[in-house]
């Protein structure tokens, strides 16, 4: 299984592909449009069929990316930022960079088996919006 950790930003998303042991295989940075997401998906397809995407849970930056991945039939989990801190602390390279953060996300996903799964907002989302509007 391949785990692809994502460090999402306003203008770029950085991906790091890891094996089951958390060893970095490769990295790629793309923009934030759906076309860029498709480029990243094609890149990931070359890494193996059994893969899961681990995205730092900052939905204001990653919502569109999650939606594009789910629409393509990909498995996506959300990694709370507090879990990344431990993974970053145990990294061999120090500092902060997009690839280091994406690797930390992937390793946190490997370490934590019960992360929330990202899903398309369906009827539940519509009901929540209606309740919020009327409340």
């Amino acid at each position: 299984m391949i785990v692809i950790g994502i460090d999402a930003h306003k203008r770029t998303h950085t991906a790091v592909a890891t094996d089951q042991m958390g060893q970095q295989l490769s990295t790629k940075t793309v923009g934030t449009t759906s076309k860029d997401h498709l480029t990243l998906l094609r890149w990931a397809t070359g890494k193996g069929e059994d893969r899961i995407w681990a995205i730092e849970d900052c939905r204001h930056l990653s919502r569109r990316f999650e939606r594009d991945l789910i629409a393509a039939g990909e498995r996506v989990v959300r990694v709370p930022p507090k879990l990344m801190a431990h993974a970053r602390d145990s990294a061999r390279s120090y500092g902060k960079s997009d690839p280091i953060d994406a690797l930390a996300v992937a390793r946190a996903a490997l370490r934590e088996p019960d992360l929330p799964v990202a899903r398309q907002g369906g009827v539940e989302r519509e009901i929540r919006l209606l309740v919020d509007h009327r409340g």
Side-chain angles (χ1 to χ4, degrees):
M1 178 177 69
I2 301 297
V3 177
I4 302 168
I6 301 293
D7 184 35
H9 292 280
K10 187 176 182 179
R11 289 189 166 73
T12 63
H13 296 323
T14 298
V16 170
T18 65
D19 63 16
Q20 291 178 333
M21 301 303 292
Q23 296 297 314
Q24 182 174 332
L25 302 173
S26 62
T27 184
K28 185 163 185 74
T29 299
V30 298
T32 58
T33 67
S34 290
K35 182 178 176 183
D36 295 323
H37 299 159
L38 181 59
T39 299
L40 198 55
L41 182 57
R42 284 189 194 121
W43 169 82
T45 301
K47 308 296 175 211
E49 291 301 314
D50 186 20
R51 66 183 163 271
I52 189 166
W53 297 79
I55 302 176
E56 183 180 7
D57 194 1
C58 51
R59 287 175 231 176
H60 65 287
L61 298 172
S62 62
R63 183 174 285 120
R64 176 190 234 175
F65 186 45
E66 283 183 10
R67 188 174 53 234
D68 288 345
L69 288 174
I70 293 167
E74 297 292 306
R75 294 181 299 161
V76 180
V77 295
R78 294 180 178 139
V79 178
K82 66 181 180 180
L83 293 178
M84 283 184 43
H86 173 67
R88 191 182 298 121
D89 289 344
S90 65
R92 291 179 189 242
S93 53
Y94 295 98
K96 183 164 174 21
S97 74
D98 296 345
I100 290 172
D101 288 348
L103 180 59
V105 172
R107 287 180 175 165
L110 285 166
R111 195 178 63 247
E112 300 290 331
D114 297 323
L115 292 171
V117 176
R119 302 189 194 289
Q120 287 282 25
V123 174
E124 303 88 10
R125 181 175 182 274
E126 291 178 24
I127 291 171
R128 187 178 68 239
L129 290 172
L130 285 170
V131 169
D132 289 347
H133 177 72
R134 292 184 186 262

